[in-house]
PDB file of all heavy atoms in Angstrom:
ATOM      1  N   VAL P  87       1.905 -16.674  59.234  1.00 69.00           N
ATOM      2  CA  VAL P  87       1.225 -15.397  59.413  1.00 69.00           C
ATOM      3  C   VAL P  87       1.941 -14.299  58.616  1.00 69.00           C
ATOM      4  O   VAL P  87       1.301 -13.479  57.949  1.00 69.00           O
ATOM      5  CB  VAL P  87       1.137 -15.023  60.916  1.00 69.00           C
ATOM      6  CG1 VAL P  87       0.655 -13.600  61.101  1.00 69.00           C
ATOM      7  CG2 VAL P  87       0.251 -16.003  61.650  1.00 69.00           C
ATOM      8  N   VAL P  88       3.286 -14.307  58.663  1.00 71.00           N
ATOM      9  CA  VAL P  88       4.053 -13.322  57.899  1.00 71.00           C
ATOM     10  C   VAL P  88       3.792 -13.506  56.404  1.00 71.00           C
ATOM     11  O   VAL P  88       3.631 -12.530  55.662  1.00 71.00           O
ATOM     12  CB  VAL P  88       5.559 -13.441  58.222  1.00 71.00           C
ATOM     13  CG1 VAL P  88       6.401 -12.620  57.252  1.00 71.00           C
ATOM     14  CG2 VAL P  88       5.829 -13.008  59.649  1.00 71.00           C
ATOM     15  N   LEU P  89       3.732 -14.763  55.954  1.00 70.00           N
ATOM     16  CA  LEU P  89       3.471 -15.046  54.544  1.00 70.00           C
ATOM     17  C   LEU P  89       2.086 -14.550  54.134  1.00 70.00           C
ATOM     18  O   LEU P  89       1.935 -13.904  53.096  1.00 70.00           O
ATOM     19  CB  LEU P  89       3.595 -16.543  54.265  1.00 70.00           C
ATOM     20  CG  LEU P  89       3.301 -16.978  52.842  1.00 70.00           C
ATOM     21  CD1 LEU P  89       4.392 -16.473  51.909  1.00 70.00           C
ATOM     22  CD2 LEU P  89       3.194 -18.484  52.774  1.00 70.00           C
ATOM     23  N   VAL P  90       1.091 -14.819  54.937  1.00 71.00           N
ATOM     24  CA  VAL P  90      -0.275 -14.401  54.610  1.00 71.00           C
ATOM     25  C   VAL P  90      -0.393 -12.875  54.614  1.00 71.00           C
ATOM     26  O   VAL P  90      -0.969 -12.286  53.695  1.00 71.00           O
ATOM     27  CB  VAL P  90      -1.284 -15.047  55.586  1.00 71.00           C
ATOM     28  CG1 VAL P  90      -2.664 -14.438  55.426  1.00 71.00           C
ATOM     29  CG2 VAL P  90      -1.334 -16.544  55.381  1.00 71.00           C
ATOM     30  N   VAL P  91       0.157 -12.223  55.632  1.00 74.00           N
ATOM     31  CA  VAL P  91       0.083 -10.761  55.699  1.00 74.00           C
ATOM     32  C   VAL P  91       0.872 -10.146  54.540  1.00 74.00           C
ATOM     33  O   VAL P  91       0.405  -9.203  53.881  1.00 74.00           O
ATOM     34  CB  VAL P  91       0.597 -10.248  57.061  1.00 74.00           C
ATOM     35  CG1 VAL P  91       0.755  -8.736  57.062  1.00 74.00           C
ATOM     36  CG2 VAL P  91      -0.356 -10.680  58.167  1.00 74.00           C
ATOM     37  N   GLY P  92       2.056 -10.691  54.271  1.00 72.00           N
ATOM     38  CA  GLY P  92       2.848 -10.189  53.139  1.00 72.00           C
ATOM     39  C   GLY P  92       2.125 -10.366  51.826  1.00 72.00           C
ATOM     40  O   GLY P  92       2.166  -9.488  50.955  1.00 72.00           O
ATOM     41  N   LEU P  93       1.437 -11.486  51.688  1.00 73.00           N
ATOM     42  CA  LEU P  93       0.683 -11.748  50.466  1.00 73.00           C
ATOM     43  C   LEU P  93      -0.475 -10.778  50.319  1.00 73.00           C
ATOM     44  O   LEU P  93      -0.725 -10.261  49.228  1.00 73.00           O
ATOM     45  CB  LEU P  93       0.168 -13.184  50.485  1.00 73.00           C
ATOM     46  CG  LEU P  93      -0.393 -13.707  49.186  1.00 73.00           C
ATOM     47  CD1 LEU P  93       0.727 -13.810  48.169  1.00 73.00           C
ATOM     48  CD2 LEU P  93      -1.005 -15.067  49.404  1.00 73.00           C
ATOM     49  N   LEU P  94      -1.174 -10.497  51.408  1.00 74.00           N
ATOM     50  CA  LEU P  94      -2.298  -9.555  51.353  1.00 74.00           C
ATOM     51  C   LEU P  94      -1.839  -8.138  51.026  1.00 74.00           C
ATOM     52  O   LEU P  94      -2.569  -7.377  50.391  1.00 74.00           O
ATOM     53  CB  LEU P  94      -3.071  -9.569  52.669  1.00 74.00           C
ATOM     54  CG  LEU P  94      -3.856 -10.844  52.962  1.00 74.00           C
ATOM     55  CD1 LEU P  94      -4.464 -10.785  54.354  1.00 74.00           C
ATOM     56  CD2 LEU P  94      -4.928 -11.060  51.916  1.00 74.00           C
ATOM     57  N   VAL P  95      -0.623  -7.789  51.443  1.00 77.00           N
ATOM     58  CA  VAL P  95      -0.106  -6.454  51.151  1.00 77.00           C
ATOM     59  C   VAL P  95       0.458  -6.395  49.733  1.00 77.00           C
ATOM     60  O   VAL P  95       0.233  -5.431  49.004  1.00 77.00           O
ATOM     61  CB  VAL P  95       0.979  -6.068  52.184  1.00 77.00           C
ATOM     62  CG1 VAL P  95       1.702  -4.805  51.774  1.00 77.00           C
ATOM     63  CG2 VAL P  95       0.350  -5.901  53.553  1.00 77.00           C
ATOM     64  N   LEU P  96       1.198  -7.425  49.322  1.00 76.00           N
ATOM     65  CA  LEU P  96       1.878  -7.402  48.030  1.00 76.00           C
ATOM     66  C   LEU P  96       0.971  -7.746  46.856  1.00 76.00           C
ATOM     67  O   LEU P  96       1.232  -7.308  45.739  1.00 76.00           O
ATOM     68  CB  LEU P  96       3.070  -8.361  48.037  1.00 76.00           C
ATOM     69  CG  LEU P  96       4.255  -7.943  48.883  1.00 76.00           C
ATOM     70  CD1 LEU P  96       5.325  -8.998  48.848  1.00 76.00           C
ATOM     71  CD2 LEU P  96       4.803  -6.609  48.429  1.00 76.00           C
ATOM     72  N   TRP P  97      -0.071  -8.529  47.080  1.00 78.00           N
ATOM     73  CA  TRP P  97      -0.907  -8.974  45.966  1.00 78.00           C
ATOM     74  C   TRP P  97      -1.513  -7.828  45.171  1.00 78.00           C
ATOM     75  O   TRP P  97      -1.417  -7.797  43.956  1.00 78.00           O
ATOM     76  CB  TRP P  97      -1.989  -9.937  46.455  1.00 78.00           C
ATOM     77  CG  TRP P  97      -2.930 -10.300  45.370  1.00 78.00           C
ATOM     78  CD1 TRP P  97      -2.683 -11.096  44.296  1.00 78.00           C
ATOM     79  CD2 TRP P  97      -4.275  -9.846  45.217  1.00 78.00           C
ATOM     80  NE1 TRP P  97      -3.792 -11.178  43.497  1.00 78.00           N
ATOM     81  CE2 TRP P  97      -4.778 -10.424  44.038  1.00 78.00           C
ATOM     82  CE3 TRP P  97      -5.091  -9.013  45.963  1.00 78.00           C
ATOM     83  CZ2 TRP P  97      -6.070 -10.181  43.608  1.00 78.00           C
ATOM     84  CZ3 TRP P  97      -6.368  -8.784  45.524  1.00 78.00           C
ATOM     85  CH2 TRP P  97      -6.843  -9.371  44.358  1.00 78.00           C
ATOM     86  N   PRO P  98      -2.124  -6.826  45.809  1.00 78.00           N
ATOM     87  CA  PRO P  98      -2.669  -5.724  45.007  1.00 78.00           C
ATOM     88  C   PRO P  98      -1.583  -4.946  44.264  1.00 78.00           C
ATOM     89  O   PRO P  98      -1.791  -4.513  43.133  1.00 78.00           O
ATOM     90  CB  PRO P  98      -3.371  -4.816  46.026  1.00 78.00           C
ATOM     91  CG  PRO P  98      -3.541  -5.631  47.239  1.00 78.00           C
ATOM     92  CD  PRO P  98      -2.482  -6.675  47.227  1.00 78.00           C
ATOM     93  N   ILE P  99      -0.421  -4.805  44.890  1.00 81.00           N
ATOM     94  CA  ILE P  99       0.671  -4.088  44.235  1.00 81.00           C
ATOM     95  C   ILE P  99       1.151  -4.858  43.018  1.00 81.00           C
ATOM     96  O   ILE P  99       1.342  -4.289  41.937  1.00 81.00           O
ATOM     97  CB  ILE P  99       1.824  -3.846  45.238  1.00 81.00           C
ATOM     98  CG1 ILE P  99       1.350  -2.928  46.349  1.00 81.00           C
ATOM     99  CG2 ILE P  99       3.042  -3.285  44.536  1.00 81.00           C
ATOM    100  CD1 ILE P  99       2.293  -2.830  47.518  1.00 81.00           C
ATOM    101  N   ILE P 100       1.322  -6.175  43.162  1.00 79.00           N
ATOM    102  CA  ILE P 100       1.776  -7.000  42.043  1.00 79.00           C
ATOM    103  C   ILE P 100       0.717  -7.051  40.948  1.00 79.00           C
ATOM    104  O   ILE P 100       1.014  -6.887  39.763  1.00 79.00           O
ATOM    105  CB  ILE P 100       2.127  -8.423  42.533  1.00 79.00           C
ATOM    106  CG1 ILE P 100       3.361  -8.379  43.435  1.00 79.00           C
ATOM    107  CG2 ILE P 100       2.364  -9.366  41.363  1.00 79.00           C
ATOM    108  CD1 ILE P 100       3.645  -9.683  44.142  1.00 79.00           C
TER     109      ILE P 100
END
Side-chain angles (χ1 to χ4, degrees):
V87 170
V88 169
L89 178 69
V90 170
V91 170
L93 192 66
L94 291 174
V95 170
L96 289 178
W97 174 71
I99 296 169
I100 292 171

